[in-house]
Amino acid sequence: MLKSTKISTEIETDEQINITIPDEHTGKRIDTVLALMIPELSRTRLTNWLKSGNILVDGKILRPKDKILGGEIVLIDPLTNEEELAYLPEEIPLDIIYEDEHILVINKPAGLVVHPGSGNWSGTLLNGLLFCYPELKNIPRAGIVHRLDKDTTGLMVVARTLGAQTQLVRQLQDRQVTRIYRAIVEGHPHQEGVVNKSIGRDPNNRVKMATIAIGGKEAITKFRVLQNFDKFSYIECKLETGRTHQIRVHMKSIGHPLVGDPIYGNHKVNYAENVVEAILSLNRQALHATKLSFIHPITEELMNFKIALPQDFKYLLQQLTQTKLNNTNEFDDDNDDDDNWEVIYVRE
């Protein structure tokens, strides 16, 4: 159905909208004018529709910042499914630590969702990748081959070609990609160990994951303790598999949840005042993807990366160091012993 109106009062977003811009708006930006004329629709939504070509002005696609003359006929063909907005480019700062014509390696910050999903249909890493590398629109998931949780920081590899993506996915499936994380957990786990417990949806809370005896997917996490504090431990984890929330769920399952974890943590506050302040300042799980190794999908060269801890994580460690136990070594994040793991090039 075609709907004609000058200034909208009741808009059904599943209908075409046909309006004429009054001369009084001459010289204004098209996104500003549309927001004024159709207040029922958010400016963000109208801007996205302009970018996606779902708004035509005199039969042409305009940029949100383009100025109008007045008298133009605007045809709006709404996107009714939020999922369709998920693949729109957005200008999102990305910390690219390596790139060539086949791959990217990214240092993901806390708070950035990797892939659009329920409740997060925009503002994701995928949207940022599409803005910086428009060619990724032709690659499934914009080249993303593995994910980090929203509030987990650190290294990710992204493919820039379909061939590179296929090879990287195969390496992940064959467990040829090395992913090593740093975490701070409650209590004192064994000096080293392996958690081999299948992971699936928590039968009592579908939002959460859990270790389950029957069903689920195989999940294996190796860990070792780097330093013990009074009520905490600083650990390193190596993923053998890559399941949703794997480290968080596995460490919770052995009684040592990650500090600050809003879903699987204990939310205790009976610690030293400076430690409580640092945990509250972190405001997320203490988990960082610090090392990444894989075979370059085209050159077959071994690619090794290491990224330093983010400042909020370092600050928490500094506060915990004041409670260091006597039977542990001095904390040194830059020169830890990698002999039993992977020796990886460092970008500080």
Side-chain angles (χ1 to χ4, degrees):
M1 179 173 73
L2 189 65
K3 185 169 187 173
S4 297
T5 183
K6 184 177 181 182
I7 299 179
S8 171
T9 56
E10 294 184 6
I11 296 291
E12 296 292 337
T13 57
D14 60 350
E15 298 178 342
Q16 275 192 340
I17 303 165
N18 188 6
I19 62 176
T20 300
I21 298 179
D23 292 339
E24 64 190 73
H25 294 303
T26 299
K28 296 179 181 177
R29 289 170 53 125
I30 182 62
D31 58 349
T32 300
V33 172
L34 292 177
L36 289 171
M37 296 185 66
I38 315 175
E40 291 82 1
L41 299 178
S42 71
R43 184 165 179 168
T44 297
R45 175 173 286 191
L46 290 166
T47 298
N48 285 335
W49 288 352
L50 282 165
K51 292 178 180 179
S52 63
N54 288 74
I55 297 179
L56 298 179
V57 181
D58 284 343
K60 300 177 181 178
I61 298 176
L62 296 187
R63 296 170 299 177
K65 66 180 181 180
D66 287 341
K67 307 291 181 61
I68 50 91
L69 299 175
E72 291 93 340
I73 296 174
V74 178
L75 178 63
I76 303 176
D77 190 11
L79 282 168
T80 58
N81 188 338
E82 282 187 306
E83 293 186 40
E84 296 181 62
L85 299 175
Y87 287 81
L88 292 178
E90 295 182 57
E91 189 171 5
I92 297 172
L94 300 178
D95 184 8
I96 307 295
I97 69 169
Y98 174 85
E99 68 176 294
D100 60 32
E101 60 184 315
H102 306 288
I103 61 171
L104 307 166
V105 176
I106 296 172
N107 180 29
K108 191 190 85 66
L112 181 62
V113 174
V114 170
H115 194 279
S118 179
N120 296 287
W121 296 113
S122 63
T124 70
L125 173 62
L126 181 145
N127 299 114
L129 287 169
L130 291 175
F131 182 89
C132 294
Y133 304 93
E135 73 274 12
L136 292 179
K137 68 181 180 181
N138 300 315
I139 309 298
R141 300 178 301 284
I144 294 170
V145 297
H146 65 114
R147 304 184 188 185
L148 295 178
D149 296 337
K150 175 183 177 181
D151 288 322
T152 297
T153 54
L155 296 170
M156 293 181 59
V157 60
V158 175
R160 296 186 67 180
T161 66
L162 185 59
Q165 186 181 48
T166 300
Q167 287 295 326
L168 287 171
V169 169
R170 183 173 295 124
Q171 288 185 50
L172 284 162
Q173 293 172 338
D174 294 341
R175 303 182 184 179
Q176 296 177 326
V177 177
T178 298
R179 289 167 290 171
I180 296 178
Y181 294 69
R182 294 290 174 84
I184 302 173
V185 300
E186 295 188 7
H188 302 131
H190 294 298
Q191 191 62 32
E192 60 182 37
V194 179
V195 184
N196 186 349
K197 299 181 181 181
S198 296
I199 291 178
R201 289 288 172 188
D202 187 330
N204 300 314
N205 185 342
R206 302 299 293 173
V207 176
K208 300 171 62 174
M209 308 300 289
T211 56
I212 53 179
I214 301 176
K217 295 181 178 180
E218 181 187 27
I220 302 173
T221 304
K222 296 180 179 179
F223 70 87
R224 62 174 180 168
V225 175
L226 300 177
Q227 188 167 8
N228 286 323
F229 304 107
D230 181 20
K231 298 178 181 178
F232 305 92
S233 296
Y234 178 42
I235 69 170
E236 188 166 74
C237 297
K238 182 177 181 181
L239 291 182
E240 295 295 312
T241 57
R243 308 305 179 201
T244 301
H245 299 175
Q246 179 171 318
I247 293 174
R248 300 163 66 186
V249 171
H250 271 173
M251 295 312 296
K252 170 74 172 181
S253 75
I254 62 172
H256 301 286
L258 271 60
V259 170
D261 194 322
I263 298 177
Y264 306 101
N266 287 330
H267 312 294
K268 294 180 180 178
V269 292
N270 58 332
Y271 304 128
E273 183 176 345
N274 66 309
V275 173
V276 172
E277 185 273 332
I279 293 173
L280 293 175
S281 177
L282 185 72
N283 195 33
R284 63 183 180 90
Q285 65 268 8
L287 185 62
H288 175 66
T290 188
K291 304 174 188 178
L292 178 67
S293 298
F294 56 90
I295 303 298
H296 192 286
I298 306 302
T299 68
E300 298 186 353
E301 175 189 2
L302 177 61
M303 308 293 289
N304 298 311
F305 299 92
K306 177 180 178 180
I307 198 73
L309 297 172
Q311 288 303 314
D312 57 354
F313 196 120
K314 282 186 176 180
Y315 178 68
L316 176 55
L317 274 178
Q318 289 167 357
Q319 301 309 306
L320 291 175
T321 298
Q322 300 177 28
T323 69
K324 178 173 60 66
L325 299 183
N326 292 330
N327 63 344
T328 59
N329 297 322
E330 288 294 326
F331 166 67
D332 187 345
D333 180 54
D334 294 328
N335 296 303
D336 55 282
D337 178 13
D338 284 307
D339 290 345
N340 297 323
W341 301 75
E342 310 294 330
V343 179
I344 300 190
Y345 175 78
V346 179
R347 191 211 79 169
E348 299 299 341

